[in-house]
């Protein structure tokens, strides 16, 4: 089986898209993630976040494009870089922010912090920070969905680095042989921390490996939310109809460092500038205005809403108490 590549259609007229409201919503969600991350970064620099951070800035089109094709009762599995996935799936910004501040109103009651953000009531498993650790869990969740027969799909996000973990190969294989309803979404941002993709892969695309498991492999422009949406939607529908998993690779780039205190000596400023020209958010804005689906007035209002939403979330999180010490072991072990 050949991997299918639809990466090279940058600028092509998109087809098979949802209603215009949903398209404007994709802009809103990407903008929310971008500003959430930028403002969380400011809070971190002020010493107000008691943990490390892996920011999602630059990769917004992937989370939003994939989640736009999911049902409310579908599930998302995430990684050490999870804020964007949760926001895209509909977890409340205030619940994530409270979690980052270690408050009891956080989505994991303040006990998980940045790397374990998630809210099962919104269809987001608490994130797994072990690289590749969420892959077998996605297969297990897919098996549960298949046994329930309720048509639920799991979207499992991971980085290029995860695709070189043993658990990744085992998880993909078992999902493949049992036709489990999982979309494996690789966010290939070209680096695993400081290690370049080209030093750790002999193949050009992560999706080229799909043929080893007998499943479809698709590589898509991860800086184009519409391209991600179309490819993800096809994979999601295939999974829902019993057609098994897909390996969907989104070529993307993180605009910031890997985590805090990363001087980015392993990549050039010129490369960063080239990728920034592909920023999905202004591109989507331009496309919405150019195609008459929205206008600057509506999109400016959305931008204002994003700032207000963050202000309110911060006010809520700051006013919330920390978990009581008596809660130390609650929700940690299964009763
Ligand atoms: C098994 C394991 N090894 C190492 C780490 C430390 N670590 C955290 S993130 C990361 C890089 C992951 O790269 P990638 O999967 O490409 O995701 P990205 O950070 O680019 O989003 C590493 C090595 C870890 N958390 N788990
Ligand atoms: Mg990476």
């Amino acid at each position: 089986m050949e991997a299918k590549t639809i990466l090279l259609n940058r600028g092509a007229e998109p087809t098979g898209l949802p209603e215009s409201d949903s398209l404007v919503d994709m802009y809103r969600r990407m903008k929310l993630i971008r500003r959430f991350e930028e403002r969380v970064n400011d809070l971190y620099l002020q010493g107000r976040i008691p943990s490390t951070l892996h920011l999602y800035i630059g990769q917004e089109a992937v989370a939003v494009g994939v989640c736009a094709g999911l049902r409310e009762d579908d599930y998302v599995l995430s990684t050490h870089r999870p804020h964007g996935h949760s926001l895209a799936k509909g977890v409340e910004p205030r619940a994530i922010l409270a979690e980052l501040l270690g408050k009891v109103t956080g989505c994991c009651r303040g006990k998980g912090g940045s790397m374990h953000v998630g809210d099962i009531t919104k269809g987001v498993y608490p994130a797994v920070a072990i690289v590749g650790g969420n892959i077998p869990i996605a297969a297990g969740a897919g098996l549960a969905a298949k046994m329930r027969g309720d048509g639920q799909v799991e979207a499992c996000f991971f980085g290029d680095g995860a695709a070189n973990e043993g658990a990744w190969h085992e998880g993909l294989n078992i999902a493949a042989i049992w036709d489990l309803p999982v979309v494996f979404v690789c966010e290939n941002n070209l680096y695993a921390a400081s290690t370049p993709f080209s030093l750790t892969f002999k193949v050009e695309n992560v999706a080229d490996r799909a043929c080893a498991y007998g499943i479809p492999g698709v590589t898509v422009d991860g800086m184009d939310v519409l391209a991600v949406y179309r490819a993800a939607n096809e994979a999601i529908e295939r999974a829902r109809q019993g057609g098994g998993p897909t390996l969907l690779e989104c070529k993307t780039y993180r605009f910031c460092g890997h985590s805090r205190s990363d001087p980015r000596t392993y990549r050039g400023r010129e490369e960063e500038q080239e990728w920034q020209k592909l920023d999905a958010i202004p591109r989507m804005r331009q496309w919405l205005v150019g195609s008459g689906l929205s206008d600057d007035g509506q999109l400016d209002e959305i931008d204002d809403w994003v700032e207000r939403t963050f202000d309110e979330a911060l006010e809520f999180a700051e006013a919330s108490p920390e978990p009581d010490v008596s809660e130390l072991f609650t929700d940690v072990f299964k009763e």
Side-chain angles (χ1 to χ4, degrees):
M1 195 184 297
E2 289 274 308
K4 193 167 109 188
T5 298
I6 54 173
L7 171 67
L8 299 172
N9 62 351
R10 271 191 181 130
E13 208 41 48
T15 51
L17 296 174
E19 298 294 305
S20 65
D21 281 0
S22 309
L23 293 165
V24 173
D25 198 56
M26 287 186 200
Y27 172 84
R28 183 182 67 83
R29 283 183 195 264
M30 287 198 292
K31 191 72 194 230
L32 176 63
I33 296 171
R34 172 68 54 91
R35 289 297 295 144
F36 185 93
E37 295 292 64
E38 286 173 345
R39 293 191 61 181
V40 156
N41 188 39
D42 292 344
L43 294 176
Y44 182 88
L45 295 174
Q46 293 161 18
R48 291 156 76 183
I49 306 262
S51 72
T52 191
L53 280 182
H54 300 82
L55 298 173
Y56 197 65
I57 298 171
Q59 303 184 199
E60 295 87 350
V62 182
V64 171
V66 171
C67 290
L70 293 175
R71 290 193 325 214
E72 245 179 77
D73 65 339
D74 287 333
Y75 287 104
V76 158
L77 293 98
S78 180
T79 68
H80 56 282
R81 202 178 295 288
H83 313 166
H85 305 137
S86 270
L87 287 168
K89 185 65 170 59
V91 180
E92 293 293 332
R94 57 166 56 192
I96 303 176
L97 199 47
E99 188 59 38
L100 300 188
L101 296 184
K103 299 301 184 76
V104 74
T105 50
C107 51
C108 296
R109 299 190 198 177
K111 289 190 259 181
S114 170
M115 286 198 278
H116 302 295
V117 158
D119 180 348
I120 205 71
T121 67
K122 303 284 181 188
V124 185
Y125 282 80
V128 177
I130 298 167
V131 173
N134 63 347
I135 308 289
I137 299 174
L143 177 59
K146 186 169 177 165
M147 290 171 77
R148 283 194 303 268
D150 49 18
Q152 283 171 328
V153 171
E154 330 290 316
C156 178
F157 293 92
F158 55 91
D160 42 296
N164 282 333
E165 292 285 350
W168 188 85
H169 299 282
E170 294 179 33
L172 258 75
N173 192 50
I174 207 155
I177 57 172
W178 288 347
D179 287 325
L180 302 179
V182 185
V183 181
F184 292 101
V185 183
C186 179
E187 302 195 55
N188 185 353
N189 60 11
L190 304 183
Y191 298 90
S194 56
T195 307
F197 177 77
S198 58
L199 292 187
T200 50
F201 286 80
K202 195 79 174 173
V203 288
E204 195 180 330
N205 306 299
V206 174
D208 294 347
R209 291 181 174 177
C211 58
Y213 306 102
I215 61 173
V218 179
T219 300
V220 71
D221 176 3
M223 306 301 281
D224 179 346
V225 68
L226 303 178
V228 174
Y229 170 79
R230 278 182 299 155
N233 205 34
E234 198 182 312
I236 290 164
E237 285 317 308
R238 178 165 44 243
R240 211 180 294 294
Q241 303 310 321
T246 299
L247 174 54
L248 171 62
E249 175 188 18
C250 304
K251 301 270 195 193
T252 184
Y253 202 77
R254 64 171 153 71
F255 291 170
C256 47
H258 168 66
S259 66
R260 299 310 318 153
S261 351
D262 174 0
R264 313 191 316 285
T265 48
Y266 50 85
R267 67 185 199 189
R269 299 297 87 92
E270 219 169 85
E271 176 186 289
E272 293 179 349
Q273 283 157 15
E274 283 309 306
W275 277 92
Q276 282 189 359
K277 286 186 200 154
L278 300 172
D279 191 343
I281 300 175
R283 280 168 80 192
M284 183 59 168
R285 185 176 176 119
Q286 205 177 1
W287 181 78
L288 285 169
V289 174
S291 57
L293 292 168
S294 186
D295 53 48
D296 283 320
Q298 184 188 23
L299 299 175
D300 287 347
E301 263 177 44
I302 288 176
D303 293 352
D304 291 344
W305 172 87
V306 164
E307 300 305 327
R308 275 199 315 279
T309 300
F310 191 92
D311 290 340
E312 285 162 18
L314 184 57
E315 210 173 302
F316 168 82
E318 286 192 317
S320 298
E322 290 180 354
D324 190 81
V325 75
S326 65
E327 290 229 6
L328 198 58
F329 294 111
T330 356
D331 302 320
V332 175
F333 300 105
K334 178 93 178 73
E335 297 296 327

